[in-house]
Amino acid sequence: MAKPLRFRYSPEAWSGERVHREIYQPLQGNLGAQSVTPRFDTVGGWETHRFEMDNGDLALFARRDEEGYWMGNTETPRSLWRTEKFSWPDVPYPVARWAQRELLDTLQEEDPWLADFPHVSWFFLPVFMSKDGRRSTRAFFREHAAGFPDAGWEEATQFVEDFLHAGAIDAYRHTMAGKLGAAEQVDRVRMSAAISEFVAGKILVEAGYGITPEIEVSTGHSLDYRAERGTTSVLVEVTRPQIPRRRAAAGPVAAIRDTAETKTSGQLAAHGGGAVLFVDCSSFTREDWAPVREARPDMHHRPAVVYRARPGGHVEGYRKGTVELDLDGAIDFFD
């Protein structure tokens, strides 16, 4: 399965000659690599290398004393196959910072429109520059408006940018960015479901809650968020019904009920209650949302919040059951 970019760590000495022999030459022979001058400097005594392939792949290598770090969206040279992988926070800061600057500069050179969205560029860098997902993940924002119907890509991307600007989930970047996936093809349903967690996070933050994603509970499952404010601590699970015309359910109201029932009979049933179910209908068009707004269908789980967010920032919805979260400042309720 395709994964977001991570570093490979080699606890061995790497001379310039060894880098040339065991990294550059295999890449050059297989992919037409060029060894070019890195675009940015680093500190801490690290020697850095940048390799650009004829097919657009990129590889970076930093070495010092008895260690080296590799990162690339290309084939890994044989000499690094058995090395351990590390996420961005787990490598020396000068190495992570240098690699980030190299990749961000390359990303925004390839897709200049991303320069207007620095937090989106940084947060999703592990998938935007991944081996298999670098085209599909960028296209999801630019060509599919991040899953928002009847919306322009600029306002949809700005919606995510505004949430990420708050820094509420920076510490969980690898996990949360990875939810978008790193597959070669755009999977709008799965990617939109991933964005629903960012929508939910934005709602909670705007309501004044601190959030922690991926909360493991006693059943071994993980729920999407813990929301905390003062003495309040509430678990939140998010689900996004598929666009009604893409599922067998007879219309938007049935789509919501079926999706909520699936979540309730699975993850939430195993948890045993106590979590708030967020039903995110942001994939619905205005026409799809209208009958839901009128009927306000009940859920198989309470408490629940059903809502539709628009990339311009407006969110409206209704509640079922006693929701122990004060969301009036973030959602325009009509219940």
Side-chain angles (χ1 to χ4, degrees):
M1 180 179 177
K3 299 287 187 181
L5 276 179
R6 290 192 294 175
F7 290 89
R8 285 182 175 271
Y9 174 65
S10 171
E12 300 176 358
W14 286 84
S15 64
E17 193 279 330
R18 186 184 178 191
V19 171
H20 182 83
R21 183 181 67 253
E22 297 187 18
I23 295 180
Y24 168 69
Q25 286 187 341
L27 292 176
Q28 201 282 328
N30 293 338
L31 298 169
Q34 295 184 49
S35 178
V36 301
T37 302
R39 300 181 180 185
F40 298 93
D41 296 327
T42 189
V43 297
W46 293 92
E47 294 286 338
T48 57
H49 304 264
R50 178 183 172 109
F51 305 99
E52 298 177 353
M53 271 49 77
D54 287 347
N55 65 356
D57 289 358
L58 176 67
L60 305 172
F61 191 72
R63 59 186 173 91
R64 182 183 67 177
D65 301 330
E66 303 292 319
E67 58 184 345
Y69 287 91
W70 156 277
M71 172 172 278
N73 56 21
T74 189
E75 67 177 42
T76 303
R78 181 183 294 270
S79 58
L80 296 168
W81 281 1
R82 298 182 182 275
T83 51
E84 191 172 354
K85 296 179 181 179
F86 289 91
S87 297
W88 293 77
D90 302 322
V91 305
Y93 177 77
V95 174
R97 174 62 175 160
W98 168 72
Q100 176 180 294
R101 295 179 74 191
E102 293 281 336
L103 293 173
L104 276 173
D105 193 64
T106 304
L107 171 68
Q108 294 176 356
E109 178 182 71
E110 294 176 352
D111 280 293
W113 61 273
L114 279 166
D116 291 331
F117 307 99
H119 295 89
V120 167
S121 297
W122 171 79
F123 194 90
F124 290 104
L125 189 65
V127 293
F128 279 169
M129 291 296 289
S130 62
K131 181 178 181 180
D132 297 318
R134 60 186 186 263
R135 293 179 179 85
S136 62
T137 51
R138 301 178 210 176
F140 176 65
F141 281 90
R142 181 63 185 258
E143 299 173 17
H144 299 271
F148 289 98
D150 305 326
W153 64 266
E154 296 99 333
E155 62 175 347
T157 308
Q158 188 63 52
F159 179 91
V160 181
E161 174 78 9
D162 291 343
F163 169 52
L164 295 177
H165 183 268
I169 56 172
D170 282 1
Y172 308 93
R173 178 174 71 144
H174 188 81
T175 297
M176 295 299 289
K179 289 176 180 285
L180 201 60
E184 289 189 46
Q185 303 299 321
V186 173
D187 183 339
R188 180 162 177 155
V189 171
R190 180 180 54 76
M191 289 177 164
S192 295
I195 291 297
S196 70
E197 295 189 30
F198 291 82
V199 174
K202 189 172 189 292
I203 289 171
L204 291 168
V205 169
E206 290 186 352
Y209 290 91
I211 56 175
T212 305
E214 293 300 297
I215 302 302
E216 187 172 340
V217 293
S218 58
T219 60
H221 296 82
S222 290
L223 299 185
D224 291 321
Y225 286 111
R226 175 185 289 116
E228 297 176 291
R229 190 176 73 184
T231 59
T232 300
S233 180
V234 178
L235 294 176
V236 175
E237 179 65 11
V238 185
T239 187
R240 175 176 278 202
Q242 294 181 30
I243 302 171
R245 63 180 174 275
R246 294 185 178 178
R247 55 180 292 126
V253 172
I256 289 175
R257 285 175 173 158
D258 288 356
T259 301
E261 182 177 12
T262 299
K263 181 71 72 169
T264 302
S265 61
Q267 207 164 349
L268 290 177
H271 174 55
V276 178
L277 178 63
F278 275 23
V279 183
D280 178 11
C281 300
S282 301
S283 291
F284 286 22
T285 64
R286 180 185 299 177
E287 291 73 21
D288 291 330
W289 175 243
V292 177
R293 197 181 194 284
E294 181 178 355
R296 286 172 284 178
D298 207 349
M299 300 291 106
H300 292 274
H301 175 88
R302 290 191 177 202
V305 182
V306 183
Y307 57 85
R308 177 178 182 255
R310 296 300 296 154
H314 181 250
V315 185
E316 65 174 10
Y318 65 94
R319 294 160 288 200
K320 291 293 183 179
T322 302
V323 178
E324 295 183 4
L325 292 167
D326 179 7
L327 303 174
D328 288 329
I331 300 177
D332 182 9
F333 286 109
F334 51 80
D335 49 24

